[in-house]
Amino acid sequence: MKTSKLSPALTAISLQPKYLDSHQIRLSLILFKFKIKSMQRYITSIAFCVLSVCAAFGTINDTFSIDGISYQVLTENQETNEVAIMDLDLNTPGASQQPAKSLIFPSTVTYAGTHYNVVMLYSSILCDIPGIEEVILPSTIRGGLTYNFCMMHDLRRVVINGNIENIHASFIDLPKLEEITLPASLIDLSASFCNCGLTNISFPPNLYTVEASFRKLPSLEEIDLGNVSVIEFDTFTDLPALTSLTIPSTIKALYGRSFQNLSGLESLTLKEISDPSPTIDGNIFLYCGNLKQIIVENHIPPTIGRNFSEDGTSYHPSFGGDADSDGAIDKATCRLLVPPGRAEAYKANPGWSEFKHIEEYNFGSTPYFSLSSEDFNLKDHVSICQGRVVLSDMQGRPISIYGIDGKIFYHDKTTYSGEVHLPEGIYIMKSQEMFMKFRIGQ
């Protein structure tokens, strides 16, 4: 029977200690904290099994295999019988019943006349399995995923159903991954999504905290942050294809270096933050040298925390890094757009005063046209008619359409002409450096 290995997954995210600089030392501490979290989750899993032992009246911890999947009995002779997936052996004759190149785990299994719900996936089961292009987890799975979906170099699609609340150190080194469905129950995501082929990802509605994830994703073009509240240190790094980003109104904390090395980022929007006193560190959006425009919807300028350099030098609070610090936003060229009548407030606020171009942006105007290029204006190529957007002679330009809450409704890398049907609402269309705000319906 195949035994899953943990060490390759760890190797994929490990650092070489004898060459550590100060930034890597901080990353090492973060990863050490993740290992502590992982140990806590293992302890929780053990406690779960112990409770199962106490509660069960029949035989537990027995194992059996069906179609190349090994199961361990967690509870038996109760109202609900439950098992965990503990190992895979895809070379067994029964495993051939799986669809070619797919792993579709069942929600229930029957063994020796007893029916079981499949409720848990042990760590490191889905690692280093060649040839598998699709994995679907059942709706009965609950708890967390740790050290899974690593180094499956042919994996293209993942669907995670069930009541999964945390994902840790998973989705690492999946260069062909194109599609993933995260469960609506997900609350915490950490140390995941490194070196993947994803082009877009949407956060589920209950995801609260993201930490040290989304690194080295060369094809990631779109991120829907959903209702996320806390973005921890070193979360979004090396995403060269990402051109625009919206921080949702639910944000409570943006910690230092949470966004860095986003070389293609041109436009950033901070929705009006509902928390009266959010934590926003200054040294975020570092090494984003192509950033041309920042829209901030708060009427009261958000308070920005103090910046610290690699060597610990403290700078005065300033969004996007102190102007004299390494990797800071180019505040001599980047436009800061703020609500009507609030430009002077932002100019007087030390967290925002370094921006040389602070302009008032009429969020309520419909339609709103901005940043038209010298030889092309969206207004001449877009018309709104009976619930649809009509595009004409777009000359192969990329088009993205966002809702007022930042959710993406439409994206096409190369547009010439066509129609986009949208529900009633207010939208923003983006094409390269141009923006247009419009309304569908009343």
Side-chain angles (χ1 to χ4, degrees), residues 298-365:
N298 276 63
H299 283 70
I300 299 175
T303 300
I304 306 301
R306 187 168 294 278
N307 303 308
F308 292 89
S309 67
E310 288 292 322
D311 60 5
T313 302
S314 175
Y315 294 94
H316 76 273
S318 183
F319 184 86
D322 183 273
D324 297 326
S325 63
D326 190 26
I329 294 172
D330 185 355
K331 297 173 186 179
T333 60
C334 183
R335 300 170 70 220
L336 180 63
L337 304 181
V338 301
R342 304 307 299 165
E344 293 304 317
Y346 276 83
K347 290 177 181 178
N349 187 290
W352 303 93
S353 60
E354 287 186 343
F355 286 89
K356 303 302 181 184
H357 302 281
I358 300 180
E359 306 168 21
E360 295 178 1
Y361 179 97
N362 190 358
F363 300 111
S365 63

Side-chain angles (χ1 to χ4, degrees), residues 239-442:
L239 311 177
L242 187 67
T243 59
S244 63
L245 183 68
T246 297
I247 306 297
S249 61
T250 52
I251 202 71
K252 296 180 182 295
L254 290 172
Y255 289 108
R257 308 184 73 91
S258 51
F259 298 87
Q260 56 185 330
N261 295 336
L262 310 182
S263 58
L265 188 66
E266 298 178 358
S267 175
L268 170 66
T269 299
L270 276 72
K271 306 300 290 183
E272 186 164 8
I273 301 172
S274 55
D275 192 307
S277 56
T279 299
I280 303 180
D281 285 352
N283 54 340
I284 57 177
F285 294 99
L286 301 183
Y287 302 99
C288 300
N290 204 32
L291 192 57
K292 297 180 174 66
Q293 173 176 286
I294 300 174
I295 299 174
V296 183
E297 295 190 2
N298 276 63
H299 283 70
I300 299 175
T303 300
I304 306 301
R306 187 168 294 278
N307 303 308
F308 292 89
S309 67
E310 288 292 322
D311 60 5
T313 302
S314 175
Y315 294 94
H316 76 273
S318 183
F319 184 86
D322 183 273
D324 297 326
S325 63
D326 190 26
I329 294 172
D330 185 355
K331 297 173 186 179
T333 60
C334 183
R335 300 170 70 220
L336 180 63
L337 304 181
V338 301
R342 304 307 299 165
E344 293 304 317
Y346 276 83
K347 290 177 181 178
N349 187 290
W352 303 93
S353 60
E354 287 186 343
F355 286 89
K356 303 302 181 184
H357 302 281
I358 300 180
E359 306 168 21
E360 295 178 1
Y361 179 97
N362 190 358
F363 300 111
S365 63
T366 307
Y368 179 83
F369 299 95
S370 176
L371 297 178
S372 58
S373 63
E374 293 181 359
D375 59 349
F376 191 95
N377 193 317
L378 277 175
K379 186 176 181 180
D380 299 329
H381 300 268
V382 178
S383 59
I384 313 300
C385 181
Q386 297 180 344
R388 67 186 190 276
V389 180
V390 181
L391 307 171
S392 60
D393 193 22
M394 292 295 297
Q395 303 175 14
R397 294 173 180 268
I399 288 289
S400 297
I401 300 178
Y402 300 85
I404 198 68
D405 59 353
K407 179 181 178 181
I408 189 162
F409 281 81
Y410 177 81
H411 175 72
D412 190 351
K413 293 181 181 179
T414 307
T415 306
Y416 292 94
S417 61
E419 295 185 358
V420 181
H421 293 264
L422 298 167
E424 289 189 0
I426 298 175
Y427 299 89
I428 296 175
M429 179 184 295
K430 177 182 181 296
S431 178
Q432 295 175 329
E433 75 279 12
M434 295 171 290
F435 294 81
M436 169 182 171
K437 188 174 183 181
F438 63 92
R439 182 189 296 271
I440 296 290
Q442 299 297 323

Side-chain angles (χ1 to χ4, degrees), residues 53-68:
V53 170
C54 296
F57 297 98
T59 303
I60 65 170
N61 292 330
D62 284 350
T63 62
F64 58 87
S65 295
I66 300 176
D67 296 339

